Amino acid sequence: MALLTVLTPVLLLILCMVIGFMLVKPRETKTDTRPWVDDDLQDGDDVLEEDECVDSQGSEEDHPQVPYSLQHYSEETMLQRSKDFYKMLKQRRSVRFISPEMVPRDVIDNVIRTAGTAPSGAHTQPWTFVVVSDADLKHQIRLIVEDEEELNYRQRMGEKWVHDLAKIKTNWVKEYLDVAPYLILIFKQTYGILPNNKKKTHYYNEISVSISCGILLAALQNVGLVTVTSTPLNCGPRLRLLLKRPVNEKLLMLLPVGYPAQDATVPDFGRKPLDEISVYM
Amino acid sequence: MALLTVLTPVLLLILCMVIGFMLVKPRETKTDTRPWVDDDLQDGDDVLEEDECVDSQGSEEDHPQVPYSLQHYSEETMLQRSKDFYKMLKQRRSVRFISPEMVPRDVIDNVIRTAGTAPSGAHTQPWTFVVVSDADLKHQIRLIVEDEEELNYRQRMGEKWVHDLAKIKTNWVKEYLDVAPYLILIFKQTYGILPNNKKKTHYYNEISVSISCGILLAALQNVGLVTVTSTPLNCGPRLRLLLKRPVNEKLLMLLPVGYPAQDATVPDFGRKPLDEISVYM
């Protein structure tokens, strides 16, 4: 009993420390970094590690300025061009039924060059476009993707699994990964390597690569090709190894590319009208 | 003393509960969700909260399929179109010197409609484009952005601050926020609200909105307008309040839009050639 009495203040102290620790912890984990972020593009989870440094290359101050001009269209022409461009892209849909018909390689080259014109954080251009046309390699990619998709389905569907098997199967089987003449796998370079072997943070790499993907989608539509923008979340590491990409690259998107199949269908979706996606002030 | 003795077991119990709570907590926060992610686009940090549910709306199975076709160009035409499109977008640069000349509102409408054709996770279309042309509001936005930029600079530059003031000032002053006829603030909707008032997770909202931004950049270039893709990281909350956007929206990008100024300049950057951004297999 005397021991207990002695212990009480000790226990009180420990309790206070533990509670204090709990209160302090959340503040510590949320380090309020304020890196230089003018027009750089930074991912929400980018944090400078100790062995990384921000390279000053690509910053405005180090480069001479050159004059910039652009064709100034009449208002009438602008309006017509804006309508035509909208009309073209309005036709874009995520298409899963792709024709095996071969597509000229030069066209794919130009589409990727176009994607490479996207802006990026500190002009790091943190993208790698892996274009797969080899039948064996496409099939290996398909096996990896379907393997993970099946896992996704099983875990998501749980008990309904057995009953809905037939319905589900049509979703997890990705025939287009074999059929499409090209698979474009878009990797984001999460960091670069400086000459001194230190890591160079690529701020906003995911946003930058996604912007680049948007431009790529427009370029595909412009030449009459289709794709479906897929993000095979859990396949990234396996596909990275298969395609022998370095550790600083992470798979962001996988796009099967080709002409639409003759009997291609798409779900009967609509899009939100202008007044639902915009506010003018 | 007797009171202390009585308290000891109680304190022990509380201590055990607190420690137990601490041990259990981390496991709860990292729920290993494997949602269905075929062509959905999910941000890395998306986690389903308890009061959220995944809406089945937008999933393939619930919508009837309709035939899809697209103009099939000759190989020659495709190649020419791919070249022309690349040539157009190759001219795109981040331009900070914007003319005050007014731009037809109809053109901006079509540019935003075009951005709204982007694919999105589960077809959530999680974007809001706030277009500001009001001079007072533009100025308030400028004040907020410059305020944060100055902070960024001060913290980044540290001791060099005083010496480099003149040089730095040109970077943190964002005259174009007053001058550009339009500021387009792109918000990502991190979740939606279902009819039952539950939150509906918007998987991949950041990637989806970034893709949409890429298409918007292409649409601007197509009509001869310029912008600079900026991500005013720390200004998000203040700008959200200023523009009266709801709590589920987060500012992703701020784009001043207009014709390039007569004396506009850009840094003398190059872009990586095709063989540095692509691998063919």
Side-chain angles (χ1 to χ4, degrees), chain B residues 166-177:
Chain B
K167 191 175 164 193
I168 293 159
K169 205 180 168 189
T170 60
N171 282 322
W172 112 60
V173 175
K174 309 279 171 206
E175 204 184 338
Y176 55 70
L177 294 177

Side-chain angles (χ1 to χ4, degrees), chain B residues 19 21 26-27 107 148 169 171 187 194 254 260:
Chain B
I19 290 174
F21 177 74
R27 225 179 298 161
V107 170
E148 290 291 339
K169 205 180 168 189
N171 282 322
F187 287 83
L194 293 174
L254 194 173

Side-chain angles (χ1 to χ4, degrees), chain A residues 38-39, chain B residues 95-99 138 142 145-146 149 170-183 228-230 254-257:
Chain A
D38 171 18
D39 53 320
Chain B
V95 177
R96 288 165 183 75
F97 304 96
I98 296 176
S99 161
K138 283 195 293 179
R142 177 179 174 176
V145 172
E146 287 186 352
E149 290 293 294
T170 60
N171 282 322
W172 112 60
V173 175
K174 309 279 171 206
E175 204 184 338
Y176 55 70
L177 294 177
D178 270 328
V179 174
Y182 294 103
L183 305 181
V228 49
T229 316
S230 77
L254 194 173
L255 281 67
V257 170

Side-chain angles (χ1 to χ4, degrees), chain A residues 15 17-18 26 49 57 65 70 73-74 83 95 120 122-123 139-140 153-154 183-184 196 201 251 262 280:
Chain A
L15 188 61
M17 283 169 64
V18 168
E49 287 171 26
Q57 273 196 343
Q65 296 275 321
L70 196 57
Y73 298 110
S74 71
K83 273 184 196 164
V95 177
S120 57
H123 197 48
H139 192 64
Q140 286 181 64
Y153 265 120
R154 280 185 190 275
L183 305 182
I184 302 182
N196 61 4
T201 305
L251 182 67
Q262 287 278 345
Y280 285 76

Side-chain angles (χ1 to χ4, degrees), chain B residues 178-214:
Chain B
D178 270 328
V179 174
Y182 294 103
L183 305 181
I184 302 183
L185 294 97
I186 310 181
F187 287 83
K188 56 177 183 177
Q189 298 163 359
T190 55
Y191 59 88
I193 310 289
L194 293 174
N196 61 4
N197 271 331
K198 292 214 173 201
K199 290 180 187 175
K200 172 188 165 192
T201 305
H202 285 175
Y203 287 114
Y204 297 104
N205 64 76
E206 186 166 294
I207 295 177
S208 305
V209 178
S210 301
I211 290 175
S212 164
C213 175

Side-chain angles (χ1 to χ4, degrees), chain A residues 8 39-40 81 96 109 280, chain B residues 8 39 96 109 222 231 280:
Chain A
T8 305
D39 53 320
D40 297 0
R81 288 182 68 90
R96 287 165 184 76
D109 283 356
Y280 285 76
Chain B
T8 303
D39 53 319
R96 288 165 183 75
D109 283 356
N222 175 62
T231 53
Y280 284 76

